[in-house]
Amino acid sequence: MGLPSIGIFLTPELWFWVAVYAIVSLSLNLEAGITGIPNFGKHLAVIMGAIVGAALPGYLGVHILPEEAKQAIIEAAGKGSLPSYASSYNSMISTYITNYYASHPAVSFAMFALTIITAAVVGAIVGLLASYPAARLKEDYLAITLLAAAEATLIISYNAPALGGTQGLTVPNTLTWLDSLTSRIVGRNMAHQVSSLIVAAVVAATILWYLERLVRSPMGRLLKGVRENEAAAQALGKNTAAIKLRTLMMGSALASIAGSIFIMATLGWIATTYNRVSWTFWAWAMMILGGMGNNRGVLLGTFILASIRQLITYYKDAIRPYLPFDPVWLDQLVLGSLLVVVLMLRPEGIFAEKTTYPLPRKMLEDKAAAR
Amino acid sequence: MVSLVYLFNSLLYANTIVMLSVGLTLTYLTTRVPNFAHGSLATVGAYMMFTVAAVVMKESLVSGNISMPLVLGFVLAFLGGAFAGLMEYLIVLRPLKRRGTGSLGLMISTLGVDIFMVGLLNIYADILRGMRPATGVSRDWWLRSYVLSKVAGIPVGVWVSFGVMIGCLTLLYMLLTRTRFGIAMRASIENPQLAQVLGVNVDLVNMASWIIAGGLAGLAGALMAFVVRINPVTGSDEVVAIFAASIVGGLQSLLGGVVGGYIVGLSSTLGTKWLGDLVGVDLAAYKRAVPLIFIIIVLLVAPQGLMGVDWSRLRRRIIGGRSVREERLTVPHAR
Amino acid sequence: MGMGLSVRNIDAGYGKLQILFNVSFTVPERKITVIVGPNGSGKSTMLKTIFGLTTIYKGEILFEGRNIAGMAPHKIAKLGIAYVPQTDNVFGKLTVRENLKMAAYGMDESIVADRIEEVTSMFPILSERMKQRADTLSGGERQMLAIAIALVRRPKLMLFDEPTAALAPKIALEILDAIQRLRDEHKITIILVEQNAKRALEIGDKGVLLVGGKVAFEGGARDLLEHPDLARMYLGLMAGE
Ligand SMILES: Nc1ncnc2c1ncn2[C@@H]1O[C@H](COP(=O)(O)OP(=O)(O)OP(=O)(O)O)[C@@H](O)[C@H]1O
Ligand SMILES: [Mg+2]
């Protein structure tokens, strides 16, 4: 069995998963756990971020390639003109672009930053659109609407020629600026994994820090007020639609960043990776297990479930000979039963949310004090 | 032009969506749970049919002697779906309801059930593969080639599909209007507390609704194998379409489920084909996005579903007639 | 004590929210017991509690010597207790006939027609409306249907929650009249919650005053009506009025 199971905790791979999922589950916690918007279309923002991560460094990259690289591609393709990034020469083009980025760390960094920023903007737009039904529909209708929107986007992006259709895309590496540093420390083989981990971890840590501050601020109490009693918040003159809008824009921007980071790490795009189970339901399970509304709990839930998934992945080859079926399905049994069992035995999660002041009373007091 | 074969396929698909949407509406009405696992109940039925027709009785199937395998397959599909539905209610939903879980929690639990069922079906499909099914494979299988022979110019599969669908809906209609238990079901849907007070065991009614919905889903799954290649995730993937159909129908009445089922089922097949021909692009790959468009339009424009729209008022408003005040269509599902 | 009902030390409420606190009173057989009290004092909750529709934390409810606290409502219905809720007391989407059939749910098919005949003869207007959906009935007709469906099982004990609320005075009187006839002609024990305390206590035999989920008075209906303080404080009546 190679490494003992403790070994997976030493791999950058596990921690990368933890960090990327932490971004998604914390952003979900902002929307669903703290503000009470049941976003069952979380993977929509992740897909959009991944699309940005897959398209931008390639389409833009082709144009900034030096002339001789362009010529080389034209010759290899034998077409007389530069083939499209998403054409059948995709993987060759990506290699040229990656090489160019590798020799120009500043360009690579600029492309990296541009990708993250664009993903965030696109994600925010997704949140903006999602806020329209969120302001109008009740829980179950909203959930199915957001889920359906995400599924439709998945289907469309899976068939989009500009994204390589059902074949997907090989994506140029925008982390070469960081890879060159990490390779000096951990060696070439691990370099890209470690740089991906660093990026994801920095983003996740920033988000955790921000959300922890947010829940303790008056704004955080207002968000919880919207969750607990929207009518009361409205009665106190709060524009709850605007609050939901901002929350969804923020949450979707973050999830979209996670999607783009995931592409930067895996360097391949195929729409089916961004399915509802992997990016919405797992995130919900992480949040519920840890405790809705509690950021640190959600982080713990993310760690536990990401580890279980890695353990299954790690051991599946070892147990395959003993089972009459493929052990990958255990993943689904674990996720499915876990959602139900947590709801039955500990619906508040491992860490129940700490009760802060419920909004109406607190605000009534504030008002009284102001008078 | 739409070919006859394409028309038949569209009808077969729409029939399954109708049966699924009626069942989803039924459990939503009785237990107030939006069941995200409803599609997987259909997959259970499909694999029951597969077990009977393609594994246990594969000799008869291959020799073209399809009536026995199909009949037994439908029986088992009904039972399998009904059992799975009942278990979902008894093991997961009833305990959660009793401990006061809200609608969000119930919804999440049905997602959990769905994922779990897909896992079990995946395992089952792996096991079946080793049993040399008549189709050769246990994933991406269908029964289409076995039901193509024609009776009165129409493929057997189409006859069977309409027969099963109409038979089921007629029986359900008779149950709900002609029997005391059926009236009790309708009464419990409208006002469970009053029904209890009058001596109805509402829990029994709820169990019955999950059995019926699960059984209908099982049959729909078996029928789906006439027109769609079946995988362990096939039903789960259809769940958005099923919800779309039910939402178009308004989630208020079973008749709404039937109407919504045909609207969504036919427009995602015939509709995309027709539109594709019109603009000269093959849109078949995008047909699964059609239900979404319906969900969005209906929820944002007429949240009661098309059945809930006051058509005469709408007509007045569009055609003109006497000027109507700024009257929004009533919005019970919206806040 | 025989056949009536007796409520003993009941604590009950909705989930974790307790509404009734150590409530005890007895309901004499073939008499009208009137429960009165301010809005929100727990009158409806008391009736629901008898019928098993709330959470009971403690105490007993004895009916014919048997503790029915915690029994499922559909079983209580079969013991001969009927309950006419304050609101939503008929099935609007079913026809009048279907409503009456519903009320006979689980009874022997052979006697159902007779029973429906029997109750409609008490409220003749209903026999003209048999095929109509209940949500098309007038307020008074609807209340009559609600009482009729409660009567189909020939109950021994009936609980009425504000049966005259929102009815025209003349129709309200008719309903109260009908309730009196149930006691006198059909020998049914009755618990009546009424917002019009005066009129109800006048037809009642016994009075129970609930205040804040606790029993503030239990005794003769007349005694409560003429009580110098309670009647004025809680019922808005001048003593001897
Ligand atoms: N289903 C419920 N869930 C939670 N609380 C409830 C419920 N029904 C009633 N209550 C609460 O229980 C308390 C008592 O209500 P109840 O209806 O028993 O009063 P009542 O005496 O019948 O008043 P009224 O004269 O207005 O009918 C009220 O504070 C009410 O808000
Ligand atoms: Mg009341």
Side-chain angles (χ1 to χ4, degrees):
Chain A
M1 283 198 190
L3 284 165
S5 62
I6 205 82
I8 69 156
F9 295 105
L10 301 174
T11 62
E13 198 182 348
L14 170 74
W15 294 102
F16 173 73
W17 280 107
V18 172
V20 168
Y21 265 114
I23 303 172
V24 179
S25 58
L26 284 171
S27 78
L28 178 63
N29 190 40
L30 171 64
E31 296 162 347
I34 297 170
T35 318
I37 308 166
N39 188 353
F40 278 87
K42 198 70 231 184
H43 55 303
L44 174 55
V46 181
I47 296 170
M48 295 310 292
I51 290 176
V52 170
L56 198 71
Y59 280 107
L60 218 56
V62 178
H63 289 290
I64 57 175
L65 279 179
E67 269 318 305
E68 60 278 15
K70 283 184 185 165
Q71 279 309 320
I73 294 173
I74 292 171
E75 258 164 51
K79 282 264 177 68
S81 67
L82 198 60
S84 156
Y85 165 61
S87 67
S88 52
Y89 304 100
N90 159 254
S91 108
M92 178 186 71
I93 295 172
S94 281
T95 310
Y96 274 101
I97 301 175
T98 299
N99 289 342
Y100 177 69
Y101 289 161
S103 52
H104 296 79
V107 177
S108 155
F109 181 79
M111 194 56 78
F112 158 80
L114 184 66
T115 304
I116 297 268
I117 292 167
T118 312
V121 171
V122 169
I125 295 170
V126 168
L128 182 77
L129 296 175
S131 75
Y132 188 76
R136 283 161 185 79
L137 302 173
K138 68 171 185 149
E139 269 179 359
D140 38 4
Y141 280 63
L142 176 61
I144 185 70
T145 306
L146 295 180
L147 177 62
E151 289 293 286
T153 309
L154 179 68
I155 292 161
I156 291 167
S157 61
Y158 184 57
N159 290 291
L163 294 169
T166 52
Q167 298 293 311
L169 290 173
T170 302
V171 178
N173 183 0
T174 44
L175 292 181
T176 48
W177 57 276
L178 190 55
D179 290 354
S180 62
L181 295 176
T182 49
S183 67
R184 277 183 226 149
I185 303 162
V186 296
R188 276 181 66 95
N189 286 340
M190 300 269 275
H192 187 65
Q193 275 190 16
V194 171
S195 357
S196 311
L197 167 60
I198 291 172
V199 171
V202 167
V203 174
T206 313
I207 292 170
L208 180 67
W209 171 80
Y210 170 78
L211 288 182
E212 277 293 87
R213 264 188 27 161
L214 178 76
V215 289
R216 282 174 179 70
S217 70
M219 184 63 194
R221 285 194 290 271
L222 183 58
L223 296 181
K224 289 179 184 179
V226 172
R227 177 190 69 191
E228 293 304 322
N229 192 341
E230 191 173 352
Q234 277 166 346
L236 290 168
K238 299 292 161 184
N239 183 350
T240 57
I243 292 166
K244 286 182 176 180
L245 169 88
R246 275 158 66 185
T247 304
L248 278 168
M249 284 178 73
M250 183 68 170
S252 300
L254 295 178
S256 184
I257 290 175
S260 68
I261 293 177
F262 192 75
I263 284 279
M264 289 173 186
T266 55
L267 300 179
W269 152 264
I270 178 85
T272 47
T273 309
Y274 305 92
N275 57 63
R276 59 184 186 275
V277 175
S278 296
W279 295 96
T280 294
F281 301 164
W282 274 105
W284 270 91
M286 290 162 176
M287 174 178 69
I288 293 173
L289 176 66
M292 283 178 83
N294 184 321
N295 291 317
R296 294 180 207 187
V298 171
L299 195 62
L300 179 69
T302 307
F303 170 72
I304 293 174
L305 289 193
S307 306
I308 291 178
R309 274 197 103 171
Q310 273 309 103
L311 280 173
I312 293 176
T313 312
Y314 183 73
Y315 279 115
K316 71 180 178 213
D317 291 328
I319 54 178
R320 184 170 282 127
Y322 307 103
L323 294 176
F325 57 85
D326 192 329
V328 291
W329 314 128
L330 293 176
D331 218 41
Q332 294 168 335
L333 296 190
V334 168
L335 173 59
S337 45
L338 193 108
L339 280 170
V340 172
V341 168
V342 172
L343 284 167
M344 279 188 185
L345 301 182
R346 205 171 160 79
E348 70 281 13
I350 298 173
F351 288 129
E353 182 184 8
K354 280 189 221 83
T355 34
T356 43
Y357 312 95
L359 163 90
R361 204 190 79 207
K362 173 69 185 154
M363 295 209 353
L364 285 173
E365 282 167 7
D366 290 351
K367 275 202 167 173
R371 207 176 294 141
Chain B
M1 237 339 263
V2 174
S3 71
L4 209 53
V5 174
Y6 196 88
L7 178 70
F8 285 148
N9 286 346
S10 305
L11 286 170
L12 288 183
Y13 175 75
N15 283 352
T16 64
I17 296 294
V18 164
M19 290 174 70
L20 288 166
S21 137
V22 166
L24 183 81
T25 308
L26 180 63
T27 48
Y28 185 79
L29 287 173
T30 53
T31 35
R32 294 279 140 196
V33 180
N35 182 20
F36 281 85
H38 198 69
S40 286
L41 295 176
T43 324
V44 169
Y47 271 92
M48 290 291 116
M49 172 61 96
F50 183 78
T51 310
V52 173
V55 179
V56 179
M57 302 183 73
K58 62 182 159 193
E59 275 81 21
S60 329
L61 190 74
V62 172
S63 66
N65 206 347
I66 58 165
S67 39
M68 261 329 255
L70 286 194
V71 169
L72 287 180
F74 279 122
V75 171
L76 219 68
F78 181 89
L79 294 177
F83 178 76
L86 183 62
M87 289 302 118
E88 181 182 358
Y89 175 67
L90 289 182
I91 298 177
V92 177
L93 295 170
R94 192 172 71 175
L96 284 175
K97 283 189 87 134
R98 290 205 172 141
R99 83 196 294 303
T101 306
S103 83
L104 180 63
L106 293 173
M107 207 152 60
I108 295 168
S109 74
T110 66
L111 278 177
V113 171
D114 188 55
I115 298 165
F116 189 81
M117 285 207 304
V118 169
L120 284 184
L121 286 162
N122 268 316
I123 290 173
Y124 188 59
D126 279 359
I127 294 171
L128 284 180
R129 188 181 43 205
M131 298 178 153
R132 304 176 174 283
T135 48
V137 287
S138 63
R139 289 158 196 279
D140 283 330
W141 59 272
W142 60 359
L143 299 177
R144 182 156 191 271
S145 54
Y146 302 99
V147 294
L148 283 178
S149 60
K150 291 192 174 167
V151 176
I154 292 172
V156 173
V158 178
W159 286 113
V160 173
S161 168
F162 273 96
V164 170
M165 190 268 302
I166 293 172
C168 283
L169 295 188
T170 311
L171 282 177
L172 184 59
Y173 180 78
M174 304 279 275
L175 171 78
L176 289 175
T177 54
R178 300 289 151 80
T179 69
R180 280 205 279 176
F181 188 74
I183 298 177
M185 280 188 92
R186 280 158 62 209
S188 314
I189 287 170
E190 187 186 331
N191 186 342
Q193 182 163 318
L194 183 60
Q196 273 182 314
V197 162
L198 296 180
V200 177
N201 185 346
V202 171
D203 189 45
L204 210 62
V205 167
N206 290 346
M207 289 190 328
S209 75
W210 281 87
I211 290 174
I212 294 169
L216 283 179
L219 290 174
L223 286 174
M224 203 175 268
F226 289 4
V227 59
V228 174
R229 291 189 178 274
I230 306 286
N231 274 307
V233 290
T234 304
S236 186
D237 282 346
E238 289 298 334
V239 89
V240 170
I242 305 169
F243 266 95
S246 307
I247 288 173
V248 168
L251 276 170
Q252 312 270 347
S253 74
L254 300 185
L255 181 64
V258 175
V259 175
Y262 276 118
I263 292 179
V264 170
L266 291 179
S267 52
S268 60
T269 49
L270 288 178
T272 44
K273 175 88 175 144
W274 174 76
L275 197 68
D277 289 350
L278 205 69
V279 298
V281 186
D282 184 11
L283 295 177
Y286 300 106
K287 71 176 181 210
R288 296 250 311 278
V290 170
L292 163 80
I293 297 165
F294 273 101
I295 290 182
I296 291 179
I297 293 175
V298 170
L299 289 183
L300 299 181
V301 178
Q304 278 190 304
L306 296 183
M307 301 293 281
V309 174
D310 183 345
W311 288 108
S312 56
R313 177 193 289 178
L314 197 67
R315 200 176 56 230
R316 268 203 312 273
R317 194 152 72 165
I318 292 169
I319 301 176
R322 66 193 166 82
S323 78
V324 184
R325 280 173 287 116
E326 199 5 56
E327 276 174 314
R328 298 249 346 215
L329 302 164
T330 36
V331 186
H333 300 304
R335 301 194 236 221
Chain C
M1 201 173 45
M3 303 296 273
L5 179 99
S6 100
V7 174
R8 292 187 180 170
N9 307 95
I10 281 288
D11 282 358
Y14 303 95
K16 284 178 189 149
L17 177 67
Q18 185 172 351
I19 305 289
L20 299 177
F21 300 87
N22 204 29
V23 171
S24 302
F25 60 91
T26 59
V27 177
E29 227 185 321
R30 296 176 191 177
K31 295 278 185 329
I32 296 179
T33 300
V34 182
I35 301 182
V36 290
N39 288 116
S41 57
K43 305 180 296 291
S44 298
T45 306
M46 187 62 240
L47 295 192
K48 285 189 212 162
T49 301
I50 294 174
F51 226 95
L53 296 167
T54 61
T55 317
I56 299 177
Y57 316 118
K58 137 177 173 288
E60 329 185 283
I61 299 170
L62 297 178
F63 178 65
E64 301 184 326
R66 178 167 174 197
N67 185 10
I68 60 166
M71 223 187 239
H74 68 272
K75 291 190 178 143
I76 292 177
K78 287 170 185 148
L79 296 177
I81 305 182
Y83 165 48
V84 184
Q86 185 170 354
T87 52
D88 297 324
N89 49 20
V90 300
F91 299 107
K93 291 182 188 159
L94 303 189
T95 63
V96 169
R97 180 181 298 284
E98 283 175 331
N99 266 281
L100 291 165
K101 272 195 174 164
M102 258 313 300
Y105 185 74
M107 276 165 52
D108 210 330
E109 195 75 66
S110 56
I111 56 171
V112 172
D114 287 350
R115 290 294 179 83
I116 291 180
E117 176 75 45
E118 182 181 311
V119 298
T120 45
S121 69
M122 284 187 69
F123 303 102
I125 186 79
L126 291 181
S127 41
E128 295 165 27
R129 303 265 186 271
M130 285 308 240
K131 290 200 177 132
Q132 220 167 300
R133 265 171 61 142
D135 53 13
T136 63
L137 297 178
S138 74
E141 289 166 350
R142 199 186 292 207
Q143 202 56 261
M144 287 176 198
L145 177 59
I147 297 176
I149 62 181
L151 280 171
V152 168
R153 279 178 195 277
R154 287 194 183 151
K156 293 173 254 185
L157 168 66
M158 289 183 79
L159 320 178
F160 287 96
D161 197 349
E162 305 203 5
T164 67
L167 292 185
K170 183 168 158 289
I171 299 174
L173 282 182
E174 269 175 43
I175 298 276
L176 287 181
D177 234 38
I179 291 174
Q180 264 177 298
R181 282 207 311 277
L182 292 174
R183 170 190 62 187
D184 301 335
E185 291 165 22
H186 298 259
K187 313 288 182 225
I188 297 175
T189 309
I190 285 164
I191 303 179
L192 173 62
V193 168
E194 254 295 342
Q195 107 258 62
N196 188 329
K198 181 161 182 287
R199 220 162 40 190
L201 287 168
E202 275 166 6
I203 68 161
D205 305 291
K206 178 167 181 176
V208 174
L209 172 65
L210 272 186
V211 179
K214 297 186 179 126
V215 175
F217 175 92
E218 180 186 8
R222 220 105 297 268
D223 299 338
L224 179 53
L225 199 54
E226 284 162 8
H227 194 287
D229 306 328
L230 293 177
R232 196 185 40 190
M233 231 155 63
Y234 296 112
L235 309 176
L237 302 174
M238 300 307 287
E241 184 189 351

